[in-house]
Amino acid sequence: MINDHLRLMMLMLNQTDLTPASFILNGIPGLEDMHMWISFPFCSMYAVAMVGNCGLLYLIHLEDSLHRPMYYFLAMLSLTDLFICSSTIPKALSIFWFHFKEISFDGCLVQMFFVHTFTGMESGVLMLMALDRYVAICYPLRYSTILTNPVIAKVGLATFLRGVFLIIPFTFLTKRLPYCRGNIISHTYCDHMSVAKLSCGNIKVNVIYGLMVALLIGGFDILCITISYTMILRAVVSLSSADAQQKAFSTCTAHICAIVFSYSPAFFSFFSHRFGGHTIPPSCHIIVANIYLLLPPTMNPVVYGVKTKQIRDCVIRILSGSKNLKSHSI
């Protein structure tokens, strides 16, 4: 009986094209009746993210006083955040509002590539910003000679290429799989493992490579951030003036907030999938996965706008209608 069943499955595999034309993104399972209500915070956060990050890019481009390494890295972060939320939220809103759940197979792979590439790049930019704060606090007199414009361009390009080359194999590993468990993805966007789990083939390689990429990107970046802030803390504690200590710490506040907003949902999602998979409902996993992509782009421009004096002064001048918008570097 088992042998007959196996022969039947092999016959089906040989005679059927197991690459679906499209997938169905089912949104948030168990909360379908609340999709319309869930869409409002999603839409509001997306609007804030678009306006805030575009505003930051505009200020950094226009203001001479913001043409410095710290703000160039912030511009990279804003560009990355724009790509991250724009790769997922418009499709999620079309699911919530219009029930447009279908996405082509190739379109799903493209979305998966962009989501994972730019989340990896965001982690890399946060790591570069930590190194920037380390150089600024520990080597203030050499800051402008170490972080020159060519150096910033090279490390930014290297961070982008790292994400591209590490994520490209995901698309090939996913494309090669046979799909015989339907084409319904219980998610709002095409995540690598959500797609791979629909396969009836062996996804062990996908799982192992996914963990390797997580360690190569997330693990490496977190290690560099930890070492940078350890060195920063040692340098700040050694300062004799309490005012100097407070000023040094204040330059890191916005970046620390960005790290918390970015990595907290990521850690929750990572550990809940591996240790709380049977106790935490799937809807919670998917909501946290969306928060992971939407919270940093929403909060980063707000935090940097509030905590960074130069950006705050530029915004005040614009809102007050000052004609003398450009200023010289201090």
Side-chain angles (χ1 to χ4, degrees):
M1 187 69 174
I2 296 177
N3 290 334
D4 291 341
H5 183 64
L6 290 175
R7 281 196 294 270
L8 179 61
M9 287 187 64
M10 291 299 297
L11 184 63
M12 291 174 63
L13 290 173
N14 291 332
Q15 293 181 349
T16 305
D17 182 8
L18 292 178
T19 301
S22 62
F23 288 112
I24 303 298
L25 291 168
N26 219 19
I28 303 176
L31 299 177
E32 289 84 359
D33 294 338
M34 298 181 64
H35 275 178
M36 184 59 69
W37 294 104
I38 294 173
S39 69
F40 289 115
F42 273 53
C43 184
S44 300
M45 293 174 74
Y46 181 55
V48 172
M50 294 298 292
V51 172
N53 286 290
C54 288
L56 271 180
L57 290 171
Y58 173 76
L59 284 176
I60 293 170
H61 169 72
L62 197 63
E63 273 287 326
D64 291 340
S65 63
L66 302 184
H67 293 174
R68 296 164 60 185
M70 172 183 172
Y71 302 104
Y72 291 145
F73 288 126
L74 180 56
M76 292 181 196
L77 186 66
S78 291
L79 275 173
T80 304
D81 284 342
L82 285 172
F83 277 108
I84 288 174
C85 57
S86 295
S87 298
T88 56
I89 300 305
K91 181 60 181 178
L93 293 178
S94 72
I95 295 171
F96 295 154
W97 289 343
F98 310 113
H99 304 287
F100 292 161
K101 300 182 177 182
E102 188 174 5
I103 184 171
S104 67
F105 182 79
D106 290 334
C108 187
L109 294 182
V110 169
Q111 185 187 52
M112 181 178 69
F113 170 78
F114 276 110
V115 168
H116 291 297
T117 295
F118 285 104
T119 51
M121 185 175 178
E122 180 174 51
S123 176
V125 173
L126 289 173
M127 180 263 294
L128 294 177
M129 295 175 82
L131 296 176
D132 166 77
R133 291 298 84 203
Y134 164 71
V135 175
I137 293 174
C138 297
Y139 302 98
L141 299 179
R142 298 173 56 194
Y143 180 67
S144 59
T145 58
I146 294 175
L147 292 176
T148 61
N149 288 348
V151 169
I152 294 169
K154 288 176 183 177
V155 295
L157 179 61
T159 302
F160 174 72
L161 292 178
R162 180 190 69 166
V164 169
F165 288 125
L166 286 176
I167 299 303
I168 280 179
F170 277 139
T171 59
F172 294 103
L173 290 172
T174 306
K175 193 177 182 64
R176 71 178 175 86
L177 294 172
Y179 294 89
C180 56
R181 295 179 179 173
N183 66 337
I184 298 176
I185 302 174
S186 295
H187 215 307
T188 56
Y189 62 88
C190 290
D191 173 72
H192 170 236
M193 287 311 301
S194 297
V195 176
K197 286 178 181 179
L198 294 178
S199 172
C200 53
N202 188 349
I203 64 171
K204 186 176 181 179
V205 175
N206 296 65
V207 174
I208 294 174
Y209 186 74
L211 290 174
M212 286 177 56
V213 170
L215 290 174
L216 288 173
I217 294 180
F220 176 79
D221 293 345
I222 292 171
L223 177 63
C224 289
I225 291 171
T226 303
I227 293 174
S228 296
Y229 272 100
T230 301
M231 300 300 290
I232 288 171
L233 185 61
R234 289 178 59 186
V236 170
V237 170
S238 66
L239 295 174
S240 58
S241 170
D243 290 338
Q245 291 180 348
Q246 184 177 2
K247 185 177 180 181
F249 273 126
S250 66
T251 64
C252 301
T253 303
H255 181 244
I256 293 172
C257 291
I259 292 172
V260 172
F261 290 137
S262 180
Y263 285 114
S264 295
F267 281 136
F268 176 85
S269 182
F270 180 84
F271 287 111
S272 63
H273 269 296
R274 283 153 183 79
F275 304 109
H278 299 293
T279 58
I280 300 175
S283 58
C284 183
H285 287 295
I286 295 170
I287 289 173
V288 171
N290 280 276
I291 290 174
Y292 168 55
L293 299 182
L294 192 52
L295 185 63
T298 303
M299 296 305 299
N300 287 343
V302 175
V303 170
Y304 275 95
V306 171
K307 294 291 185 180
T308 308
K309 184 179 184 299
Q310 290 91 334
I311 293 176
R312 193 166 61 245
D313 291 343
C314 294
V315 173
I316 292 173
R317 280 203 302 275
I318 291 177
L319 294 178
S320 64
S322 174
K323 294 182 179 179
N324 186 23
L325 185 60
K326 284 202 173 187
S327 61
H328 297 287
S329 297
I330 298 174

